[in-house]
Amino acid sequence: MILVTGGAGYIGAHAVLALLQNGHEVLVLDNLCNSSSASLERVTRLAGRRPQFVMGDVRSRPLLDKLFAAYPIDAVMHFAGLKAVGESVREPLRYFETNVSGSVTLCQAMAHAEVFTLVFSSSATVYGESETMPISESAALGLPTNPYGHSKLMAEHVMRSVAHSDPRWAIGLLRYFNPIGAHPSGLLGEAPKNIPNNLLPYLLQVALKQLPALRIYGDDYPTPDGTGIRDYLHVVDLAEGHLMALNRLRKQPGISTWNLGTGRGYSVLEVLKAFEKVVGKTMPVCVEPRRSGDIAQCWSDPSKAREELGWESKRDLNCMLEDAWRWQCLNPNGYGADAMAV
Ligand code: NAD
Ligand code: UDP
């Protein structure tokens, strides 16, 4: 059985679905601080069977000990965490407590239960502002520009030290680039509780007139059209990457790092144009100053994941945008009251 922390969230729910569809038993632990258990009802509908669910906090050692004693868990996927960059600047301690202490507590409980296989949600943010593109796993780790980024880097350090302390550990640090998109059924997707910070969720709400206009944060970057470039990746591809990492870790202990990205960058204006094509109308936009802490460009070299995991992204930008738009139209309020009936 796989314990999936944060499994009710955006990426976690897609991973839970992929695990169930591949024959795994799944136990989700989530405190629902940024999600709803409705996502797991949708997962159940899609998979034809139900993951086990415990509402609780990954920082609670007594709870974790109980779960490891009660269920036949043999590996963990650790998604539980806080991810809003701006919020992390205002509330750094909450971020370090959840993302770093939560990871420490989880590793302690795993070691106690002698469960040593762990797949961790890290982020390309640990590279900071890299000088060379594309970014490979051997690139120097940068100086993250905010407490969220620091918390991810610190959690990576914790896991690296833990893995070096005992050869039974098998840990995969998955450095995600920019996950977007939704399940093609329109049943699962990103459901931000507040005004979104990320480009695509914001754009989706502009398209439904839930927000007035897209604010383009800077058109004076040293990029071909002046707007920021990112490596957008379909969330279903990302979920599949977790299964492949788990398979690899079962055969190869130690600690490994894999970039999960497409290897191709798109600027804000390129995403906007592609999205306007999908929606069939132009979006209201305004150009604003650069957002503090943003970098000009960031895209992956995903060849290590291809060679070692046999993973590569299959879904292109158009597919990501079409799936995201379908999700948003069917669920204008996320998993809330007006969401499509399940
Ligand atoms: P999300 O907010 O949708 O999911 C996180 C889940 O963790 C939520 O369901 C939340 O309720 C749960 N959670 C938070 N604190 C918890 C706690 N203390 N105990 C138990 N559950 C808790 O976010 P997501 O986009 O699915 O991200 C999942 C992971 O991937 C996070 O660790 C995030 O930092 C990382 N990540 C995300 C992105 C991205 O762009 N979405 C990029 C890189 C890395
Ligand atoms: N961006 C933007 N307007 C928004 C949100 C984001 O112009 O409302 C830009 C941002 O400056 C960056 C890109 O879109 O160049 C991706 O931003 P996002 O927050 O989605 O990802 P991250 O910056 O964390 O990689």
Side-chain angles (χ1 to χ4, degrees), residues 153-180:
L153 188 54
M154 287 165 78
E156 278 204 6
H157 286 314
V158 166
M159 288 171 197
R160 201 166 284 109
S161 304
V162 161
H164 290 149
S165 73
D166 184 330
R168 289 175 293 175
W169 282 99
I171 302 181
L173 306 175
L174 303 189
R175 293 183 180 151
Y176 311 161
F177 281 68
N178 288 60
I180 60 168

Side-chain angles (χ1 to χ4, degrees), residues 119-183:
V119 178
F120 175 60
S121 302
S122 188
S123 165
T125 190
V126 301
Y127 294 116
E129 181 129 47
S130 189
E131 301 256 302
T132 46
M133 294 293 144
I135 304 176
S136 77
E137 292 82 351
S138 57
L141 294 177
L143 255 190
T145 48
N146 53 69
Y148 167 71
H150 279 291
S151 74
K152 286 284 158 187
L153 188 54
M154 287 165 78
E156 278 204 6
H157 286 314
V158 166
M159 288 171 197
R160 201 166 284 109
S161 304
V162 161
H164 290 149
S165 73
D166 184 330
R168 289 175 293 175
W169 282 99
I171 302 181
L173 306 175
L174 303 189
R175 293 183 180 151
Y176 311 161
F177 281 68
N178 288 60
I180 60 168
H183 192 269

Side-chain angles (χ1 to χ4, degrees), residues 58-59 78 80-82 93-103:
V58 74
R59 292 166 295 177
H78 180 34
L82 302 174
L93 293 175
R94 199 154 77 83
Y95 272 68
F96 290 120
E97 193 190 22
T98 300
N99 296 357
V100 185
S101 304
S103 299

Side-chain angles (χ1 to χ4, degrees), residues 9-11 30-31 33-35 57-58 79 83 122 148 152:
Y10 170 47
I11 304 169
D30 198 305
N31 67 1
C33 68
N34 274 326
S35 58
D57 203 299
V58 74
F79 296 94
K83 63 167 185 179
S122 188
Y148 167 71
K152 286 284 158 187

Side-chain angles (χ1 to χ4, degrees), residues 43-113:
V43 166
T44 303
R45 180 170 157 188
L46 288 166
R49 65 200 181 93
R50 186 172 286 282
Q52 307 256 13
F53 172 56
V54 171
M55 183 172 165
D57 203 299
V58 74
R59 292 166 295 177
S60 167
R61 178 68 195 277
L63 173 62
L64 290 174
D65 285 344
K66 259 194 217 156
L67 296 183
F68 282 110
Y71 294 90
I73 298 164
D74 58 10
V76 179
M77 287 189 185
H78 180 34
F79 296 94
L82 302 174
K83 63 167 185 179
V85 169
E87 189 181 65
S88 80
V89 175
R90 294 190 297 276
E91 299 176 64
L93 293 175
R94 199 154 77 83
Y95 272 68
F96 290 120
E97 193 190 22
T98 300
N99 296 357
V100 185
S101 304
S103 299
V104 171
T105 305
L106 176 65
C107 289
Q108 285 170 328
M110 287 178 70
H112 183 69

